[in-house]
């Protein structure tokens, strides 16, 4: 992109729920700006943004992809983000570094749960937004209903800037309420239009919405409000100034309309992206800390400042190697230079600097404040790390990855491929920090955890395609926990004599339940030195080891307190090992009379379904031992919030698709642990052969 004025840069994400038309909008933007010669489509696999095999196969965005273009001399870095609940973590990471966002609202289905989650993240990261009501040419499209749903669902005040001419198959174009001009489109996917006067039959409605727009915009600027109250006409330039001010401050959200797939209203949207969304200069100072010091450090979005930036995404390619995507916050980055990674306390060499264009990379000579670029083959750097000037280090607060919600056991297809599988998974985890791989010490299984079943299935597909490591996924194991309902006091004594020095450890402990979610407490109330101080940690260690295997399902024990209050020792035969064993013996003995009970993970479920399916879905949730907490109406749909045991929703996705004819969507996250009903406990114990 070359050297430019930072005020002429826009870093924006295209965000919404799945199937709202995010990728189609990006493809239309790239085509209209001349970045691509053909309008790419998701449906036929020609999209330049959804280029991974897994994305083409499923027809959906599974990971954020970047591209750039120029519009009216403004440089735009565009990030196409996932909208599927299993992959929203990638959207969240991108929002951390972006300047603005275009939120797509479907004219058919309105706002869904994923969009609400994304909106919350935009609030958290202070990302200004504009909205685009898409699919105006589709059956059942309703512009004003979609805007109303956006206002109610997201709690925002809208400022309608463009309105449609016609509806559904009769859509002919859009009306710009700032310019009070109409655009009639050819509907040949080229974005070609003719600017004309507003049709007479729509003039009254356009004037009504224009008046609303002027009132809303005037409230964002005192000078405009004063002029408005004096009944003076606001000029086009003044309206644009007020629109920008209101967008940047979050007073309202400008709303536009069109059809991404038909390339209608996209050029208008580009005009207002550069007019309303912030430049890096508007985003202002980035605050961090000085490494190893409790001092605040700041960086201005200027080339004159020391270099600094944050790596927000990592891409691993088996042929091209690792690419680290970085948002430059300050200064200038040059090829063949060195930078400092304060998170790892390591120096990194920057060889080349690339601009991303979908799956392609374009070599550039430098990167300055505000730019988003890719750095190849960094040795130590991971997602979330800061890179900065060697002489003036700074650390920006990294984004903590979301916690995985589901796990599957992995089994290599070929024996002896364990190392190959593990190596490939390590590379996948570099790209996606929400993936976790652990080796279960009890079952000796390799367990892959992630944000949902589809998330893990895609990871396995990529593992095979990129790294030649084929695995099968086993039925996920529900992470049960155990706890107790009664208190007891017991003695644990370990005494062994085998000629020579023996072993002796003797403890008295009290075991009692704690409120749900309290975890584990170990309390030392030993007096008089009956258990020497240096052996008390060994007792605690023995208890903790015994807690790993509960008496019912061999699950981890939680929510209890163990108090060590008495015991005895031998001056010669006592040792840390003896007291560790004594602690373990005492705890296991206590479990015989503490009324152990089983706990199961409860998931917070949000299901958005068409109105006609709501009864079936609620009935199904009830049959899964679910508790429905509320229902909220959406445009042509209902959002059901419920709490459901994890064991009942491990395979929920295909079943919801079947119930709703593939029209339902859900998101799920871990909420808490609750006691399993007694009849269900009997069934679980029977299933594992311990009844």
């Amino acid at each position: 992109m070359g050297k430019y004025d930072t005020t002429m840069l826009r870093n924006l994400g295209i965000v919404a729920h799945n199937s709202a038309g995010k990728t189609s909008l990006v493809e239309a933007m790239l085509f209209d700006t001349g970045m691509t010669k053909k309008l790419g489509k998701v449906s036929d696999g020609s999209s330049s943004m959804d280029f991974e095999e897994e994305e083409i196969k499923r027809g959906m965005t599974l990971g954020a992809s970047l591209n750039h273009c120029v519009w009216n001399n403004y440089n735009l870095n565009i990030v196409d983000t996932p909208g599927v609940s299993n992959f929203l973590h990638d959207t969240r990471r991108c929002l951390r570094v972006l300047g603005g966002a275009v939120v797509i609202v479907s004219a058919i289905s309105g706002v869904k749960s994923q969009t609400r989650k994304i909106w919350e993240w935009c609030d958290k990261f202070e990302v200004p937004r504009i909205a685009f009501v898409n699919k105006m040419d589709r059956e059942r499209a309703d512009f004003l209903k979609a805007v109303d749903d956006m206002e109610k669902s997201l709690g925002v005040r809208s400022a309608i800037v463009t309105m449609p001419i016609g509806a559904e198959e009769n859509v002919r174009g859009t009306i710009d309420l700032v310019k009070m001009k109409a655009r009639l489109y050819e509907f040949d996917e080229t974005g070609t239009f003719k600017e004309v006067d507003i049709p007479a039959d729509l003039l009254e409605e356009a004037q009504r919405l224009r008046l609303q727009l002027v009132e809303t915009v005037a409230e964002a600027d005192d000078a405009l409000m004063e002029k408005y109250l004096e009944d003076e006409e606001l000029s086009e330039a003044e309206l644009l100034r007020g629109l920008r001010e209101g967008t940047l401050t979050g007073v309202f959200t400008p709303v536009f309309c069109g059809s991404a797939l038909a390339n209608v209203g996209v050029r208008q949207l580009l005009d207002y992206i550069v007019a309303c969304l912030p430049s890096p200069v508007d985003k202002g100072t980035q605050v961090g800390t000085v490494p190893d010091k409790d001092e605040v450090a700041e960086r201005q979005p200027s080339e004159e400042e020391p270099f600094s930036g944050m790596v927000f995404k990592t891409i691993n390619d088996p042929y091209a190697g690792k690419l680290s995507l970085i948002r430059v916050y300050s200064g200038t980055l040059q090829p063949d230079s060195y930078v400092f990674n304060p998170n790892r306390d390591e120096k990194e060499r920057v060889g080349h600097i690339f601009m991303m264009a979908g799956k392609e990379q374009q070599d550039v000579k430098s990167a300055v404040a505000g730019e988003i670029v890719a750095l190849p083959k960094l040795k130590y750097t991971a997602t979330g790390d800061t890179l900065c000037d060697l002489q003036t280090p700074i650390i920006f607060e990294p984004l903590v990855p979301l916690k995985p919600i589901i796990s599957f056991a992995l089994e290599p297809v070929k024996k002896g491929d364990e190392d190959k599988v593990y190596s490939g998974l390590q590379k996948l985890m570099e790209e996606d920090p929400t993936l976790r791989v652990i080796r279960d010490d009890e079952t000796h299984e390799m367990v892959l955890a992630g944000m949902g079943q589809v998330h893990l299935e895609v990871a396995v597909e990529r593992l095979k395609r990129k790294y030649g490591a084929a695995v099968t996924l086993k039925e996920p194991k529900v992470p049960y926990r155990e706890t107790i309902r009664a208190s007891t006091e017991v003695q644990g004594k370990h005494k062994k004599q085998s000629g020579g020095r023996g072993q002796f450890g003797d403890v008295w402990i009290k075991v009692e339940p704690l409120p749900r979610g309290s975890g584990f407490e170990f309390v030392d109330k030993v007096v008089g030195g009956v258990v020497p101080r240096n052996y008390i940690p060994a007792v605690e260690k023995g208890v903790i080891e015994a807690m790993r295997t509960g008496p019912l399902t061999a699950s981890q024990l939680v929510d209890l307190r163990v108090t060590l209050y008495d015991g005895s020792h031998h001056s010669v035969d006592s040792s840390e090992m003896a007291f560790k064993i004594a602690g373990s013996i005492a705890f296991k003995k206590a479990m015989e009379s503490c009324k152990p009970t089983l706990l199961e993970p409860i998931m917070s479920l949000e299901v958005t379904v068409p109105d006609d399916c709501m009864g079936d879905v609620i009935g199904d949730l009830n049959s899964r031992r679910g508790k429905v907490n509320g229902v909220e109406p959406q445009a042509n749909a209902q959002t059901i919030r419920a709490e459901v045991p994890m064991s009942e929703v491990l395979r929920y996705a295909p079943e919801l698709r079947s119930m709703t004819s593939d029209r339902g969507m859900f998101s799920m996250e871990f909420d808490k642990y609750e006691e399993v009903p007694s009849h269900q406990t009997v069934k679980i114990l029977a299933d594992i052969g311990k009844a």
Side-chain angles (χ1 to χ4, degrees), residues 54-68:
E54 295 76 21
E55 294 177 317
I56 296 171
K57 172 185 171 183
R58 289 173 168 80
M60 62 176 66
T61 301
L62 303 177
S65 55
L66 283 73
N67 216 315
H68 60 276

Side-chain angles (χ1 to χ4, degrees), residues 65-79:
S65 55
L66 283 73
N67 216 315
H68 60 276
C69 59
V70 177
W71 182 252
N72 293 339
N73 295 320
Y74 283 83
N75 294 273
L76 278 60
N77 285 319
I78 305 173
V79 183

